[in-house]
Structure formats: structure tokens, C-alpha cells
Amino acid sequence: MNLFSSEFWQESRVLLVLVALAPALGGATGIRNALWLSGLTLLAIIGAGLVNVALKGVITPGARTPFTIVVTITLISLFQIYLSIVDSALLEELGIYLPLITVNILVLRQSVLFEAEDVSREFRGSIWLGFKFALLLIFIGGLRELFLTGEITGAEVFARDISFFGEPGGFLIVLGALVALYKAVFSGSAADREVS
Amino acid sequence: MGELLYILLGGVFWNNIVLTHLLGLTPFLVERKSSLQKTAGMGFMTTILLIAAALFTFIIYDVILVPLGLTYLNNLVLILLLLVLVIFMQMRPQNSPRERAWHFYLPDVFFNTAVFGMLLLQVAEWETLVEAVVSAAGVGLGFAILLIIVDSINNRVEKLPVPEWLKGVPIQLIILGILALAVSGFDGI
């Protein structure tokens, strides 16, 4: 089963971090949620990578993606059971966005990454991508928390109600503006070639 | 009948999974230069997969998982079901252009968080099989219509003197945001 064969993914590979945001964006409504989601995604990337490296040659390439999915969802389900015992409020906050880590492109990518000669380089590269994803998600979580509550980790920043920008509709406009700003600032640079 | 229509229209408008839960955003976060036909094909594929997944999920959840008290296996069962459906669909012969198009969109549809997200969100809420199918059809139609609207606007924007930095992903996200505000007006009907 080759999930990365279509033209769509060939085109979008340079935008991996942005695409990886898709499953987590809705859940990152605050810094706390974003920290948990990004941390768990990073752990899932490392876990899926290690499992795929360890079982290289044992599992056929065609079965690697389903295998990675099953391993990741099992680990996440175990973590959900653990959270339901120790912190059910957090489990409720993360909701469906926790199992959605399984279909994160950065996690699934681990199943096709280790065909290359230099496995260590690929592994370091994917951890670095995961780290960039985590930083971006925490930034987005912080921004949404600021818009929704007017506070950042309890410290009041805005006295007025600007929750509109934290709601899905308003935040999509904010996100669009941020990507536009990024393109404008890095116009003509390597970053521009990545986005356009 | 009225309730089913409400569920269907809710999935398309006021409960649109992309605009209310920010799920299934992947196609909007990449710059695509595809024809309207290709976009409609992807939307159609997603709707078919959603309906098939809802049908089987309802049966498995209500007939096996709930009676046996195995609901904690929900995530694993749902993702395995999706995998089986995608693999099964990939095994179809690819003789005609339409069949080849089906095959082409499958991986992208599987990655779409709208599919897995919809199942996770709604599986425990469905009371009848018909409700599950109608609800999935609504979510799929909502996603497909949104994809077509955004692509159509994007195609027109490309011909206008819009700054280069606003083209593509930024304008797609801003259009989505405006559409989200528009459909929120339907809430409470």
C-alpha cells in the first residue's frame, strides 16, 4: 500500500510542517493543549521512527504504513486510558485531536523514510521537522488562547473581548494573514520557493 | 424525515466539519493547481468513503463493541476499518479513466482528517443506521462543496491583480474563514 505515490503528496512534501498542522489545529485552543499535542506528536514521530528502523527488513515495505498506524494508535489508546485515570479533564480537552495524531503526516512519513542509505540522517531530519512543528503549534495555541481569553498563561493582555479571532472562522483569517505575512517577508528567498 | 434533513443540512452548513472543527484542512493548506473536475472527484471520493465508513462503523460499534463492553478499542477499530476500506478500494481494477481517478485520490482521502475525525466525533451519537449514513453524507457533501467553492474562487483570484504573497494558501484560508462566518449564521435554525 503506497500512500505517498500520488502527485498531490509529491507537490506538498515541501510544506510538510504546514500540512502536519491540519490534524492538530482545532485542538490547539491554548498553550497547555498545544504543548500536550505537540509533545505527543513528537513522541509518536520518534516512536514510529524507532519501530520502523528496528523492523527494517522484517516488515515488507507495503505493510509498513498500516503497521505504523496500528502501533501509533495502540500507544495513543494506552495513553488515553492512562489519562482517563489520572487527568480526565485534560483527556476531555484534547478530545478527538489525540487519536488524530495517528494520521499526522509527520508520523505516517516514518513508514517510508528509512529506505534511504543514511538512516540516521533521515531520523535526525524527521525529529527536527517534528520540533519545528511543535514550536509552530505552541505559537498557534498561544495565539488562540490570547484571542479567546485575552490572557496568556493567566496574565491578562487584552481587557476587551477579541474572542472572535480565536473562534474557527476568525482564526482561519488570522492564519491566512500569518501565512501571507510569511510569504511577503521571505519573498524571493528559499522560504518563498517552499510556500509558492 | 425532517430530522434526517436537518442532520444532512447541518453537516453541509452549520456543523460543517472543516469550518467548525478545523478538520480536513489538508487540501486547503497546500497550493493545488487542479481542475474543477479533479477537485469534485476528490470531494466525491471523500463522501463515498465517509458513507462506507459510517455504515460499517455503526454496525461494528453497536453490534460488537458496545454489547461486549469493548468501547476502549474504538480508535483502533476505526482506523483499521478505514485502512481495510482504502486497501479494498485500491484493489479495484483500473480499466476506465473513472476507476483510475478513484485509485488516484484514495491516499489523499485517507490522510484527510475529516474522515477519521468525523467517525471519532459522531460514532457514539448515531442512533440508527440511516442516521449514520445521512450524517456521513452531510459531512462529505459539506467538505466537497467547500473544496469546490474555494477552488473556484482561487481560480478566479489567479486572474486578478492580487499580490503574489496573498495568492494560494493565504487566500484559501481567508476565504475559508469568511465562509465559516457566513455559515455560522445558519446556526440555531
Side-chain angles (χ1 to χ4, degrees):
Chain A
M1 181 186 182
N2 190 0
L3 287 168
F4 293 85
S5 61
S6 83
E7 185 191 322
F8 182 63
W9 290 105
Q10 302 295 335
E11 282 175 4
S12 65
R13 201 166 280 184
V14 285
L15 285 162
L16 272 174
V17 176
L18 195 58
V19 174
L21 277 180
L25 206 57
T29 49
I31 287 188
R32 185 171 175 247
N33 291 8
L35 271 170
W36 273 102
L37 283 175
S38 54
L40 288 168
T41 308
L42 195 56
L43 280 178
I45 291 168
I46 296 169
L50 287 175
V51 167
N52 273 291
V53 171
L55 297 174
K56 193 179 177 184
V58 179
I59 298 168
T60 57
R64 221 170 278 166
T65 306
F67 179 77
T68 307
I69 289 170
V70 171
V71 168
T72 316
I73 199 77
T74 307
L75 291 174
I76 286 180
S77 298
L78 288 173
F79 183 73
Q80 272 185 310
I81 293 169
Y82 168 74
L83 266 190
S84 69
I85 298 163
V86 297
D87 193 349
S88 54
L90 178 66
L91 180 66
E92 207 166 303
E93 269 181 53
L94 297 176
I96 61 155
Y97 299 99
L98 200 54
L100 280 176
I101 290 173
T102 315
V103 286
N104 192 305
I105 186 74
L106 292 180
V107 177
L108 287 174
R109 190 170 163 264
Q110 301 301 308
S111 59
V112 288
L113 212 58
F114 304 111
E115 301 295 336
E117 287 290 305
D118 195 350
V119 171
S120 154
R121 186 171 159 271
E122 293 290 346
F123 190 55
R124 284 198 309 270
S126 59
I127 291 175
W128 176 236
L129 266 180
F131 186 67
K132 283 204 270 190
F133 161 80
L135 285 180
L136 192 59
L137 194 66
I138 292 165
F139 170 71
I140 284 172
L143 209 58
R144 281 192 83 182
E145 186 177 321
L146 182 68
F147 290 144
L148 286 170
T149 61
E151 297 175 350
I152 280 280
T153 57
E156 193 180 86
V157 181
F158 293 115
R160 288 188 176 185
D161 180 22
I162 50 165
S163 59
F164 161 78
F165 292 107
E167 300 294 340
F171 192 69
L172 282 169
I173 297 174
V174 172
L175 195 64
L178 285 174
V179 179
L181 185 72
Y182 178 83
K183 276 180 86 172
V185 170
F186 294 100
S187 178
S189 67
D192 179 53
R193 285 193 294 280
E194 269 190 24
V195 177
S196 58
Chain B
M1 188 67 193
E3 198 183 328
L4 290 178
L5 190 67
Y6 182 83
I7 292 170
L8 184 78
L9 290 177
V12 178
F13 296 112
W14 56 92
N15 283 331
N16 189 301
I17 203 156
V18 182
L19 303 177
T20 55
H21 290 94
L22 299 179
L23 290 172
L25 275 176
T26 313
F28 304 99
L29 289 172
V30 289
E31 263 177 56
R32 290 168 299 116
K33 286 186 172 55
S34 55
S35 65
L36 204 61
Q37 200 181 356
K38 270 188 173 180
T39 307
M42 191 177 172
F44 177 70
M45 272 297 299
T46 310
T47 310
I48 295 292
L49 185 66
L50 273 167
I51 294 172
L55 193 78
F56 289 110
T57 303
F58 182 83
I59 295 167
I60 293 171
Y61 189 81
D62 273 39
V63 176
I64 301 169
L65 296 185
V66 174
L68 296 177
L70 298 172
T71 46
Y72 58 90
L73 290 176
N74 193 23
N75 297 340
L76 187 66
V77 171
L78 290 182
I79 201 90
L80 281 176
L81 176 76
L82 275 181
L83 264 174
V84 169
L85 280 174
V86 171
I87 292 170
F88 179 74
M89 285 174 162
Q90 273 200 329
M91 283 161 62
R92 284 167 55 95
Q94 302 173 51
N95 301 325
S96 68
R98 182 177 289 179
E99 283 167 349
R100 276 195 289 277
W102 272 65
H103 199 268
F104 178 80
Y105 289 116
L106 268 172
D108 307 337
V109 170
F110 176 75
F111 279 119
N112 193 333
T113 48
V115 180
F116 190 34
M118 186 274 297
L119 294 177
L120 289 168
L121 267 175
Q122 299 188 351
V123 67
E125 291 174 12
W126 294 326
E127 284 175 10
T128 63
L129 188 63
V130 179
E131 190 184 317
V133 171
V134 171
S135 166
V139 171
L141 276 175
F143 174 76
I145 290 171
L146 208 58
L147 208 57
I148 293 168
I149 290 175
V150 173
D151 247 30
S152 306
I153 297 175
N154 220 9
N155 286 342
R156 298 189 78 166
V157 166
E158 274 187 5
K159 293 167 191 154
L160 298 171
V162 177
E164 201 56 42
W165 45 267
L166 202 57
K167 283 184 179 173
V169 179
I171 201 92
Q172 280 184 182
L173 289 172
I174 292 168
I175 293 165
L176 270 184
I178 295 167
L179 286 171
L181 297 177
V183 297
S184 67
F186 289 106
D187 202 7
I189 286 176

